[in-house]
Amino acid sequence: MLEISGLRAGYGAVEILRGVDLRVDAGEIVALLGSNGVGKSTLNNNVSGLYVPFAGRIVFQGRDISGATPRSIVESGLIQVPEGRRVFPNLSVRENLELGSYRRGRARRAANLARVTDIFPRLKERFTQKAGTLSGGEQQMLAIGRAMMAEPTLLILDEPSLGLSPLLVETMFALIQKLNVDGLAILLVEQNVVQSLAIAHRAYVLENGVVAMSGPAQDLAADPGLRRSYLGL
Amino acid sequence: MSADIVFAGVVNGLMAGGVYVLVAVGLTLIYGVLHIINFAHGSLLMLAMYAVYFLFRKPLGLDPYAALPLVTAGAFAFAYLLYRGVIGRFAHGKDENILLITLGLSIVADNAALFFFTGDTQTIDVSYAGRFLQLGPALIPLPKLVSFLASLLICALLGLWMAFTDTGKAIRAVAKERQGARLVGIDVENIFAIAYGIGIACLGAAACLLMPFFYVSPSSGHAFVLIAFTTVVLGGMGSFAGALIGGLLIGIVESLGGLRFGEQLGQIAIPLVFILVLLLRPTGLFGGR
Ligand SMILES: Nc1ncnc2c1ncn2[C@@H]1O[C@H](COP(=O)(O)OP(=O)(O)OP(=O)(O)O)[C@@H](O)[C@H]1O
Ligand SMILES: [Mg+2]
């Protein structure tokens, strides 16, 4: 579904990713792990078209999307929930969700609105409230709800549990798993390594701009090197 | 001053304030979305006024009110293309560049107008220019009443459009969260151009409403820009409601200032308000942050 090969990317003259290969197949949850500042968000944002890669190919559903506009990437069903949520603070919850279907899924907006508020009843209660006044957890729900409005075929989640209480983190992971069971492919970037590996099918570990480790999630969860560097065990 | 005179002054100020609202709404919309002061605002208003003037003249003889849809749409198209072709292209994503480009455009437009249209002031003669409406002690010139009502109507329609259409929501979204907007597939550069186009379309409408009772010369945009800046600062940068209340207040202040100190000296009231707002409430009446 998504196939990244030899991706080089960065900012200006600084190269952050130095040839990354990564694949997400239909129906999979793939976890992308790595320490702070290693370039996970950089990878997401190049895939989403916010930045133009230096080199390499990003193929989504058979089409090379490296260097394509975010607009056409959204159109094709690859939707990102970015780090830091990036909801529209001056718009109501309802308007945020509506804009989720600005480019894609507009015809079924009403039905999707009902579906998203079914998943997040909390958002329904806050429908007319400005998104900027929501709590951090509510904003995260809104960001995911907004992405769902576009009927994604592949969802990129960049640290969806950031800033959530432990209880909400549990709920978030359960939700991610449920979305996946319903057929959605997910690329998951997370700091909660144990929980991500528990729900992921496969995982990649980024180090120094390249994939240092990859494989089935259980294998990585059992890997002594990974346990040492990320879990302090 | 007697109560009657003050009442008449307030009413006439309100009438004048309608167009100020329209000009300021354009300025504040562009500021809210692009985060820049459009220094070309006055010059583009002046060009639109010349357009109304030439449409009214001999071969065409188009009444300014009849020309309003045409001039408004033309102003939108002109500004949209200006943004796409010049401002956006040379800005390289830096807001401060846009500032300089609009300043440069204004200088070019002013001097081109001086060259092609001469420095003479031009007016148009419409049959309804001399008609008045009696409201208690106030005598309201008909074109001013029309400009007041039409300005508020246009602002109301624009407000509804911004609130309920997807493009309107996208404009508001881009104003505060560009990256988030890109991630829902909004073409941000296109929204910039549309916002700039709408801001200038307001000037097109304002030009049609002004010309029946105002003159045009290459420098006639400047008077309105000072008023519009003051309005936007008074109302709060980027605030729609602020532009509305601010524009009407400025109209009243100008009118009463003129009554108290005479036409010429009364003009000082506006820069005075400008300075007072900056001193006492720099965020303006409706400004947040
Ligand atoms: N817009 C930018 N301009 C310049 N450098 C940037 C920019 N965004 C990120 N970087 C740099 O690129 C590197 C990778 O950043 P990135 O956000 O991709 O890391 P990350 O793996 O997502 O980290 P985290 O886990 O903290 O979110 C960092 O060193 C960061 O400082
Ligand atoms: Mg990150």
Side-chain angles (χ1 to χ4, degrees):
Chain A
M1 169 166 265
L2 177 71
E3 192 136 13
I4 300 170
S5 48
L7 177 65
R8 292 176 170 273
Y11 306 93
V14 186
E15 195 173 61
I16 307 287
L17 302 176
R18 303 192 185 86
V20 172
D21 302 312
L22 184 151
R23 204 182 76 242
V24 182
D25 292 331
E28 270 193 318
I29 298 180
V30 171
L32 178 59
L33 310 173
S35 51
N36 291 125
V38 78
K40 305 180 295 293
S41 300
T42 301
L43 181 136
N44 293 342
N45 292 337
N46 276 271
V47 170
S48 287
L50 297 181
Y51 296 97
V52 178
F54 298 167
R57 275 165 62 83
I58 305 171
V59 177
F60 179 62
Q61 291 179 328
R63 184 170 75 104
D64 189 347
I65 57 165
S66 49
T69 60
R71 168 190 168 162
S72 77
I73 291 169
V74 167
E75 225 154 33
S76 65
L78 198 170
I79 313 292
Q80 186 191 165
V81 179
E83 187 174 0
R85 295 137 195 162
R86 300 209 172 262
V87 296
F88 307 121
N90 53 332
L91 267 58
S92 71
V93 167
R94 186 200 181 104
E95 289 170 329
N96 267 272
L97 292 173
E98 287 170 343
L99 279 186
S101 55
Y102 179 86
R103 189 59 68 190
R104 192 181 146 87
R106 197 185 295 212
R108 285 168 303 283
R109 177 176 287 179
N112 288 333
L113 210 52
R115 187 170 70 108
V116 167
T117 50
D118 258 7
I119 301 175
F120 302 111
R122 191 60 163 270
L123 294 183
K124 179 90 190 183
E125 292 163 26
R126 305 253 180 268
F127 233 31
T128 55
Q129 193 174 323
K130 292 257 186 293
T133 64
L134 295 177
S135 78
E138 289 165 345
Q139 287 190 18
Q140 191 65 58
M141 293 178 202
L142 179 58
I144 296 177
R146 184 178 71 182
M148 299 305 298
M149 292 295 295
E151 305 180 341
T153 51
L154 171 63
L155 189 63
I156 298 181
L157 295 169
D158 198 336
E159 312 220 5
S161 72
L162 194 72
L164 302 190
S165 66
L167 192 69
L168 258 180
V169 172
E170 290 297 330
T171 318
M172 186 61 73
F173 276 95
L175 170 78
I176 293 167
Q177 197 154 29
K178 181 179 175 304
L179 292 175
N180 173 252
V181 168
D182 293 346
L184 186 56
I186 293 170
L187 177 61
L188 176 64
V189 173
E190 256 300 334
Q191 301 284 353
N192 287 301
V193 174
V194 177
Q195 275 153 309
S196 330
L197 288 177
I199 64 165
H201 300 97
R202 290 186 306 112
Y204 293 81
V205 179
L206 276 185
E207 250 170 54
N208 297 320
V210 295
V211 173
M213 225 187 294
S214 66
Q218 303 104 289
D219 295 5
L220 261 71
D223 184 276
L226 189 103
R227 290 171 70 86
R228 211 174 313 112
S229 39
Y230 289 100
L231 307 175
L233 299 175
Chain B
M1 278 192 282
S2 79
D4 278 1
I5 294 179
V6 171
F7 175 80
V10 168
V11 169
N12 272 302
L14 266 180
M15 295 298 125
V19 173
Y20 299 166
V21 171
L22 203 48
V23 175
V25 158
L27 193 65
T28 213
L29 176 71
I30 292 171
Y31 174 81
V33 178
L34 293 163
H35 306 159
I36 52 124
I37 303 282
N38 177 38
F39 277 116
H41 217 62
S43 305
L44 291 174
L45 175 63
M46 175 270 295
L47 289 184
M49 288 165 82
Y50 271 111
V52 177
Y53 168 75
F54 283 113
L55 285 171
F56 180 81
R57 287 251 313 236
K58 265 281 131 58
L60 292 163
L62 200 55
D63 180 84
Y65 297 146
L68 191 139
L70 179 71
V71 175
T72 306
F76 175 85
F78 177 78
Y80 181 91
L81 294 175
L82 186 67
Y83 188 87
R84 291 244 95 157
V86 181
I87 301 174
R89 171 167 319 168
F90 297 116
H92 303 297
K94 291 214 179 74
D95 292 345
E96 60 271 24
N97 289 350
I98 303 185
L99 208 81
L100 290 176
I101 294 168
T102 59
L103 189 60
L105 282 173
S106 122
I107 294 169
V108 170
D110 288 1
N111 287 291
L114 206 54
F115 182 78
F116 288 111
F117 309 145
T118 77
D120 300 343
T121 57
Q122 310 284 1
T123 55
I124 61 176
D125 262 323
V126 286
S127 56
Y128 44 80
R131 298 240 203 107
F132 288 88
L133 217 84
Q134 184 87 37
L135 183 74
L139 212 54
I140 309 168
L142 187 64
K144 286 208 165 175
L145 180 66
V146 171
S147 82
F148 173 75
L149 295 175
S151 293
L152 294 195
L153 179 68
I154 290 168
C155 290
L157 290 176
L158 181 58
L160 288 174
W161 185 84
M162 291 282 287
F164 294 113
T165 66
D166 267 20
T167 311
K169 288 172 202 162
I171 290 174
R172 288 184 289 137
V174 167
K176 292 283 178 201
E177 182 48 73
R178 295 177 185 180
Q179 214 68 322
R182 290 196 176 92
L183 288 174
V184 299
I186 292 172
D187 184 344
V188 170
E189 279 299 313
N190 191 45
I191 291 293
F192 285 164
I194 289 175
Y196 195 74
I198 293 174
I200 305 308
C202 290
L203 296 181
C208 296
L209 298 172
L210 275 172
M211 278 312 280
F213 63 89
F214 210 80
Y215 60 88
V216 58
S217 76
S219 62
S220 54
H222 297 318
F224 288 95
V225 153
L226 175 63
I227 291 170
F229 280 176
T230 309
T231 298
V232 169
V233 168
L234 172 64
M237 305 287 281
S239 162
F240 240 66
L244 179 66
I245 304 299
L248 298 179
L249 276 178
I250 292 287
I252 294 171
V253 165
E254 182 190 38
S255 166
L256 292 183
L259 276 181
R260 182 70 184 78
F261 305 111
E263 280 293 316
Q264 294 301 319
L265 200 59
Q267 287 295 323
I268 211 168
I270 291 169
L272 216 58
V273 169
F274 190 87
I275 292 165
L276 278 178
V277 173
L278 287 181
L279 282 176
L280 301 177
R281 196 177 157 79
T283 56
L285 298 174
F286 292 82
R289 271 194 280 190

